[in-house]
Structure formats: structure tokens, C-alpha cells
Amino acid sequence: MSNAEDTGVAKRSPRPRPRNGQTRASVIRAALKCFAARGYFGASMRDIAAEADIGLAGIYHHFSGKQELLQAVMTVTIEDVFASTRASVAAIPDDRPREQLAALVRAWVEFHTVRQEDARVGASEVHCLEGEGRDRVIALRDEQEALFVTTIERGARLGVFTTPYPREAARAILNMGIAVATWYRLDGDITPHGLAERYAQLSLDMVGAIDLRE
């Protein structure tokens, strides 16, 4: 009879080890929290390791340093929001730019209400990026802006939007959504969906949208 059986103590199964992908994702989430709380320069690799509950060696197994971590955090954020906004436009035919813009703004604003830490770090720490990582993040941000610009320009060509300044309107709408992450509270008096609906209407007013069905 084994010792465990003799003492009545049940054997514990060994704790499953996280897969590499899971560990990498947990480190990125930890870095995001630390950057949001302390800023890029204020957060140390030890802070990130403690937040991720992993040793420093475990972090360096996946990332060369804090700069690569910042690049990963920002890349994940912009790829996620871009996937959401791109899908919102793709679901609506191009001959309905009014509905496309409204859906685009809803997706943009809801992201900034729900993923506030991601959005704040993305806006405040971009100047800390270096080299190819910076180039990649800036390229993704440019693609995101272009989605707004082309949607508004399409509406102007079709006579649905009356603004003579599609590019400036797109930038104003983008920044209006980004600012949401600095003040919105999930426990406030309006839901993410409700705020997104209001911002969609504000954006349509900004571009001088005309409802051709009227």
C-alpha cells in the first residue's frame, strides 16, 4: 500500500503547464496592465513578470525586452479593433455608405468603451515605439484611418454626405472615439452600445449625412 493510501491523503495531479501561446498571451496582457498603470518608462520588466506571475527568464524566452513587449501590445490592440471595424463595413453593401459609417463608428466606439486600457496605451505610448515595430503599428493605424476616409469619400461621391472635408471629418470622428477611453465608465448611466449609437448619430451629423430614402 502506498504512503498516500496509508495516510489517507489523496494524491494531487500535477498542475498543467501553460502552453507557449498561452504564456505569451498572458505576458502581453500583463504588460498592457503595467503600461496602462505606470506608462512605458515607468513599468519595469520585473513589474511585468510579477503581474504575469512568471519569472523574468520566462518573459525573455518569448520577448527580447520591454520594447518588443510594447510593440506586441500595440499590434494586438490595433489588429483587434481593425478586424472589428473592417467587418462592420464589409457586412454592408458599398452603395449604403450612411449605414456603413454608422456601423463603423459603433464598432470603433464600443471597442474604446470595453478595451479602455488597450486604447489608452495605444494613444499615449505610441511615441515610445522604435524601429520596425513602430513602422508596423503606424502602418496599421494608417489602414484604420483609411477605412474611415474611404467610407466618407464614397458617401460624398454618392451624394449621401455633404461634407467638403472627408479626410478631416474622418480624423475628427476617429479622435472623438479615442477620447472615449479616457472618460467612459462601464458602471455609468449609459451602456457601450448606447454610447456607440449616440456617436454614430453625431458622426452622421458631422459629415452632413442625407437620408435619400426620405
Side-chain angles (χ1 to χ4, degrees):
M1 185 175 290
S2 68
N3 289 338
E5 291 171 334
D6 289 339
T7 59
V9 177
K11 289 184 177 180
R12 292 183 179 180
S13 299
R15 187 176 179 180
R17 297 179 62 184
R19 297 178 180 177
N20 281 344
Q22 294 172 329
T23 302
R24 181 181 173 86
S26 69
V27 172
I28 292 174
R29 287 193 298 271
L32 169 64
K33 287 187 174 297
C34 290
F35 294 151
R38 301 178 178 87
Y40 174 72
F41 291 112
S44 70
M45 290 294 281
R46 290 190 181 277
D47 292 331
I48 297 168
E51 180 67 36
D53 192 21
I54 189 175
L56 278 173
I59 293 184
Y60 284 114
H61 177 72
H62 297 280
F63 299 95
S64 61
K66 195 165 66 167
Q67 177 61 211
E68 187 178 357
L69 266 170
L70 179 65
Q71 293 171 8
V73 166
M74 290 206 170
T75 299
V76 168
T77 298
I78 192 64
E79 285 180 344
D80 285 354
V81 68
F82 191 28
S84 177
T85 54
R86 187 167 46 194
S88 72
V89 171
I92 301 170
D94 283 349
D95 61 353
R96 292 162 57 189
R98 179 189 176 96
E99 289 85 350
Q100 282 185 330
L101 180 60
L104 183 55
V105 173
R106 288 189 202 101
W108 182 247
V109 171
E110 286 200 29
F111 182 90
H112 286 79
T113 59
V114 177
R115 300 271 296 272
Q116 290 174 295
E117 284 185 334
D118 310 61
R120 288 198 299 269
V121 170
S124 65
E125 306 301 318
V126 65
H127 67 284
C128 300
L129 289 168
E130 301 171 0
E132 293 182 2
R134 174 183 171 82
D135 294 342
R136 173 167 173 73
V137 170
I138 295 300
L140 287 167
R141 288 179 58 169
D142 288 347
E143 284 188 65
Q144 178 66 89
E145 180 179 316
L147 183 61
F148 278 79
V149 172
T150 55
T151 300
I152 297 173
E153 286 180 339
R154 186 183 308 116
R157 287 196 306 271
L158 294 175
V160 178
F161 302 150
T162 60
T163 179
Y165 310 113
R167 186 170 296 276
E168 290 79 1
R171 288 174 176 165
I173 292 168
L174 281 163
N175 284 302
M176 186 168 67
I178 290 170
V180 166
T182 67
W183 63 263
Y184 179 78
R185 291 172 58 101
L186 285 169
D187 60 354
D189 59 359
I190 186 169
T191 65
H193 177 73
L195 187 68
E197 287 292 343
R198 291 184 186 180
Y199 272 58
Q201 185 57 57
L202 289 170
S203 299
L204 291 173
D205 292 343
M206 188 181 297
V207 299
I210 299 171
D211 192 342
L212 299 180
R213 296 170 298 180
E214 296 179 350

